[in-house]
Amino acid sequence: MNRTVSQSELKTWMQCQRRHWFTYEKGLRSKRTPTAFLVGTAFHDALSDYYSGVDESGVLAHANTIALEADGMASIDGEWRDAEEWEGAEYQAARVRGMLRAYAQRYPRGEFLDAFALEERFFVPWSFGDEQWTLSGRFDGIAQDDNGEWWLLEHKTAAGNAVELITNLRLDLQVNFYLHMADLLHASGKAPQVAGVLYNVIVKPQIRPVLVYEACWEDVVVIAETKAEAVNAVMQQCSEADRRFIAVDKRRQTPEEYEERIIVHMLADPAGCFVRRYVARSERQRETFAGELASILNAFARSPGYPNFQSCDRCHFRVLCAASPADRPHLQEQFFEIESVQK
């Protein structure tokens, strides 16, 4: 029997077999998507537009549409507790736009000699022993560097240490799974031989929208994070007699101001916000992973569906696992929806 499997399905099964059953057998999906996930998705999809040649306005518009799907961020920090006051989706959209504009300045278009398979989904047959599988996955892309070598692109957004993330990614199932797929595509003449993986990590800025002071005198307007800074800047542009006419207003930063602040923040520390590593994979490393993948698939095909209770604190299905059978239908309807899962 030929079965289709993706790296995300395998990772879910390896984390918890009951979670896999809820997700891939029953097709349940949480009705609430974490805001951080939506931000990463918006940025990730926009990079595909960027490298496909879509103009800047089109890239930003697409990212903006996705980011606006985010829920209110009332709980993201203590500054704004009211979801309506926070207007979180607009600020998250501004965050994504700022990240993209900073990225475009850091990595101008045309940096690769060629690129293809951008956000393209592949279904690749693979046989080992008597087993037949179809490996499924969507590549970020395959790019050619200045030396003519081809690399599997792997875009990642990170909240913390990018170098540590790259170190962990070398052992990640997703990256090795996609590299194995690329090797199979090359063997069938559908892709060039890739030398390894280009890890393209963008560290998400942790700065949040803040309260600002707007000092005005006639047509002079200065916006600063402290009242003294705003007033002093205006005072330098008016006479001592006019200083009593300076008006000061305290307000929250607009999404547009937040977007510009994101750009300044990221470009002030490009080495910390944009990290890249070319990591070559030897033939031996590739063969080792192919053997490991075969073992994982053999176990996966015979999965009994046991839960992994050590992962419950990180799983949104815990509300169903902990409930009595009588309460599960109600909880499922309240917190989850059924969708067709694409492997």
Side-chain angles (χ1 to χ4, degrees):
M1 181 179 69
N2 191 323
R3 182 171 178 179
T4 299
V5 67
S6 65
Q7 60 81 25
S8 58
E9 182 177 4
L10 280 181
K11 287 179 76 171
T12 301
W13 173 80
M14 293 170 72
Q15 290 165 354
C16 177
Q17 294 172 19
R18 181 173 291 178
R19 181 178 181 181
H20 172 268
W21 181 75
F22 278 130
T23 304
Y24 290 93
E25 302 298 330
K26 295 199 67 174
L28 296 184
R29 190 188 76 157
S30 175
K31 291 182 178 180
R32 294 184 60 84
T33 302
T35 302
F37 177 80
L38 287 169
V39 170
T41 299
F43 184 83
H44 197 278
D45 288 356
L47 282 186
S48 174
D49 293 340
Y50 181 71
Y51 285 115
S52 297
V54 178
D55 60 43
E56 181 178 344
S57 61
V59 172
L60 294 175
H62 183 199
N64 194 69
T65 299
I66 301 173
L68 284 174
E69 295 177 0
D71 292 327
M73 299 186 333
S75 64
I76 204 161
D77 76 2
E79 188 66 41
W80 305 108
R81 293 182 174 84
D82 187 299
E84 293 182 358
E85 183 181 25
W86 176 256
E87 297 176 0
E90 294 183 12
Y91 285 93
Q92 287 291 32
R95 188 183 188 194
V96 174
R97 293 195 306 270
M99 290 170 61
L100 284 166
R101 290 172 60 195
Y103 184 92
Q105 293 187 49
R106 176 64 171 167
Y107 301 119
R109 294 178 190 267
E111 59 172 324
F112 299 122
L113 292 180
D114 194 7
F116 76 103
L118 300 170
E119 291 299 321
E120 184 174 349
R121 179 169 290 278
F122 291 95
F123 295 89
V124 184
W126 185 43
S127 300
F128 56 90
D130 296 330
E131 300 287 338
Q132 293 186 346
W133 293 82
T134 297
L135 308 183
S136 168
R138 189 172 72 165
F139 291 0
D140 289 342
I142 298 177
Q144 188 178 35
D145 65 17
D146 292 338
N147 297 320
E149 285 191 307
W150 292 89
W151 299 84
L152 184 68
L153 284 177
E154 185 62 27
H155 304 309
K156 291 291 183 184
T157 53
N161 189 309
V163 176
E164 181 180 343
L165 174 65
I166 290 174
T167 301
N168 293 333
L169 280 175
R170 298 185 187 197
L171 304 175
D172 185 64
L173 174 67
Q174 174 183 333
V175 174
N176 288 287
F177 188 94
Y178 286 169
L179 187 61
H180 183 62
M181 287 180 62
D183 287 342
L184 294 174
L185 287 170
H186 171 67
S188 63
K190 297 179 180 178
Q193 177 68 61
V194 295
V197 183
L198 167 54
Y199 295 107
N200 182 35
V201 181
I202 302 89
V203 178
K204 292 180 288 188
Q206 298 304 300
I207 59 175
R208 304 299 183 192
V210 295
L211 291 172
V212 296
Y213 291 85
E214 184 175 288
C216 306
W217 170 74
E218 295 186 348
D219 60 345
V220 178
V221 179
V222 174
I223 300 171
E225 293 186 22
T226 66
K227 182 177 180 179
E229 184 181 356
V231 172
N232 289 336
V234 175
M235 288 174 59
Q236 295 177 9
Q237 302 185 55
C238 66
S239 66
E240 185 173 350
D242 288 329
R243 289 179 181 177
R244 61 194 178 97
F245 298 110
I246 297 176
V248 181
D249 180 39
K250 182 181 180 181
R251 61 171 175 80
R252 55 180 171 163
Q253 200 169 42
T254 66
E256 292 73 24
E257 290 167 347
Y258 180 50
E259 177 180 343
E260 295 299 327
R261 186 161 153 251
I262 289 289
I263 297 171
V264 172
H265 171 82
M266 296 187 74
L267 294 180
D269 182 24
C273 293
F274 305 98
V275 180
R276 282 187 173 178
R277 294 288 187 275
Y278 288 85
V279 180
R281 285 291 201 276
S282 68
E283 193 65 32
R284 182 176 179 180
Q285 288 173 316
R286 298 172 195 233
E287 291 176 355
T288 298
F289 176 76
E292 292 172 348
L293 181 59
S295 297
I296 293 172
L297 291 176
N298 277 326
F300 173 71
R302 296 159 178 79
S303 167
Y306 294 133
N308 175 15
F309 296 112
Q310 293 183 339
S311 67
C312 289
D313 61 333
R314 302 186 302 275
C315 180
H316 51 266
F317 289 119
R318 66 183 180 273
V319 65
L320 295 181
C321 289
S324 66
D327 290 334
R328 284 178 184 171
H330 166 69
L331 293 172
Q332 178 177 314
E333 181 179 356
Q334 181 179 358
F335 295 107
F336 301 93
E337 57 190 5
I338 298 176
E339 68 169 1
S340 177
V341 180
Q342 185 178 28
K343 297 183 178 182

